[in-house]
Amino acid sequence: MKNISDAPFLKEICSATSNMYRLGWDERNGGNISYMLNENEVAEYLDLDKVIRTIPTGFEAKELIGRIFIVTGTGKYFKNVEKDPENNLGIIRIAKDGATAELLWGYNDGGQFTSELPAHLMSHISRLSVDSENRVVMHCHPDYTLAMTQIHEMEERALTRTLWKQMTESIVVFPDGIGVLPWMVCGTNEIGKATAEKMKKHRLVIWTLHGIYGAGKDLDETFGLIETVEKAAKQYMLTAHLPKLNTITDENLVALAKRFNLDYRKDYLDI
């Protein structure tokens, strides 16, 4: 059996959480990540027949029975993940009842997965239904994205158009646009269901006055999606109070879509 400290998936999530904390996206114990792992890869590092303990998930995810995830812990600080992964992360498998997690590794101090795991599982189900390669759900609180929710109309078409027009890369990176939810109480199945519904059409969902959910095929892609939205939101917040002398037009966006062969939201343009 290989040493799990050398597992690429463990190194990847440690790097991601450190970067997210460094960028200020995950203050204190804010934010959470769930990363679906390949069973054969995990079996190189763990005895999959050895279940440390079981934990109710608070949601019946029958579509994910047998799936294995590495998940950030509840109440844990992203800044501590890299130096102590076994306390701050856990590897779980969704049990045969769909509503229980079998702990295979981690949460060494007796803790458990993020309180938003039900929302993550719901989003995983939604994303897998449209893209079988989506394996990551990432939630965080980027500064400029949050600030933008205070002053910009929180309507999907309007918000997406604004972000697309901030910099050339925006429509290239998220041509499917941004899903938007009004402020809701976090950590509930209600917000999880609402997010999962948006995830059927979007890889990015903004929670007004709270943060953002992103989904992708790996940690790099998902991080990059959120990073691009945050960069565009920063450009908006830095210039929103100033007169606009230059802007990316709808014609420019069409030209970009043709150049990169994008499957984009054509109904979001005025041409």
Side-chain angles (χ1 to χ4, degrees):
M1 197 76 69
K2 296 180 182 178
N3 189 330
I4 194 168
S5 298
D6 298 324
F9 55 80
L10 185 62
K11 292 181 178 180
E12 288 169 11
I13 197 168
C14 286
S15 176
T17 50
S18 292
N19 279 332
M20 292 166 77
Y21 182 80
R22 175 180 53 81
L23 289 167
W25 295 0
D26 296 273
E27 73 293 334
R28 199 172 180 270
N29 63 320
N32 27 77
I33 299 173
S34 59
Y35 177 13
M36 186 186 303
L37 304 176
N38 179 282
E39 181 178 330
N40 292 333
E41 184 178 15
V42 178
E44 295 181 24
Y45 301 92
L46 297 176
D47 179 356
L48 299 185
D49 292 325
K50 183 180 179 181
V51 176
I52 299 170
R53 53 190 164 97
T54 59
I55 312 169
T57 64
F59 171 67
E60 190 174 289
K62 289 189 175 180
E63 297 91 335
L64 300 174
I65 289 173
R67 299 276 194 167
I68 298 174
F69 299 85
I70 186 166
V71 187
T72 52
T74 185
K76 301 302 184 182
Y77 291 34
F78 273 25
K79 70 183 180 68
N80 296 330
V81 172
E82 194 161 36
K83 63 184 178 183
D84 190 5
E86 196 166 1
N87 273 338
N88 294 284
L89 300 170
I91 296 176
I92 62 170
R93 178 175 56 208
I94 305 302
K96 291 181 180 179
D97 64 358
T100 304
E102 298 172 335
L103 181 64
L104 303 176
W105 175 87
Y107 308 139
N108 208 35
D109 59 357
Q112 65 179 53
F113 41 74
T114 170
S115 61
E116 290 182 358
L117 181 66
H120 279 248
L121 297 179
M122 293 176 202
S123 288
H124 277 291
I125 292 169
S126 286
R127 289 309 307 165
L128 287 171
S129 72
V130 296
D131 188 340
S132 61
E133 293 189 356
N134 273 203
R135 296 191 298 146
V136 173
V137 172
M138 182 180 288
H139 170 58
C140 57
H141 311 147
D143 293 348
Y144 290 96
T145 302
L146 271 175
M148 190 174 176
T149 70
Q150 298 187 43
I151 66 170
H152 193 282
E153 177 186 3
M154 293 307 291
E155 187 275 327
E156 291 174 353
R157 185 180 189 274
L159 183 68
T160 297
R161 281 177 57 81
T162 296
L163 292 170
W164 278 355
K165 288 171 176 284
Q166 296 311 303
M167 58 184 195
T168 300
E169 289 78 6
S170 289
I171 192 172
V172 178
V173 175
F174 50 95
D176 45 340
I178 309 289
V180 172
L181 289 179
W183 185 90
M184 299 175 69
V185 175
C186 59
T188 65
N189 282 7
E190 287 70 29
I191 196 169
K193 291 174 183 176
T195 304
E197 188 61 31
K198 296 291 185 183
M199 282 278 182
K200 293 176 181 178
K201 294 183 178 180
H202 306 282
R203 292 169 298 157
L204 293 158
V205 180
I206 290 178
W207 290 1
T208 300
L209 303 175
H210 182 150
I212 189 168
Y213 253 64
K217 65 181 181 182
D218 54 35
L219 287 165
D220 274 349
E221 179 182 79
T222 313
F223 183 96
L225 282 168
I226 295 173
E227 185 178 33
T228 306
V229 171
E230 174 66 354
K231 181 67 173 287
K234 182 176 182 178
Q235 302 311 306
Y236 175 80
M237 293 302 298
L238 290 174
T239 61
H241 60 294
L242 300 172
K244 283 284 183 113
L245 300 181
N246 304 292
T247 189
I248 296 174
T249 66
D250 283 27
E251 289 77 11
N252 295 152
L253 293 172
V254 170
L256 284 167
K258 289 180 178 178
R259 168 64 179 83
F260 291 96
N261 194 28
L262 303 176
D263 182 12
Y264 69 105
R265 292 296 301 264
K266 297 179 180 63
D267 56 325
Y268 281 9
L269 302 185
D270 289 333
I271 55 175

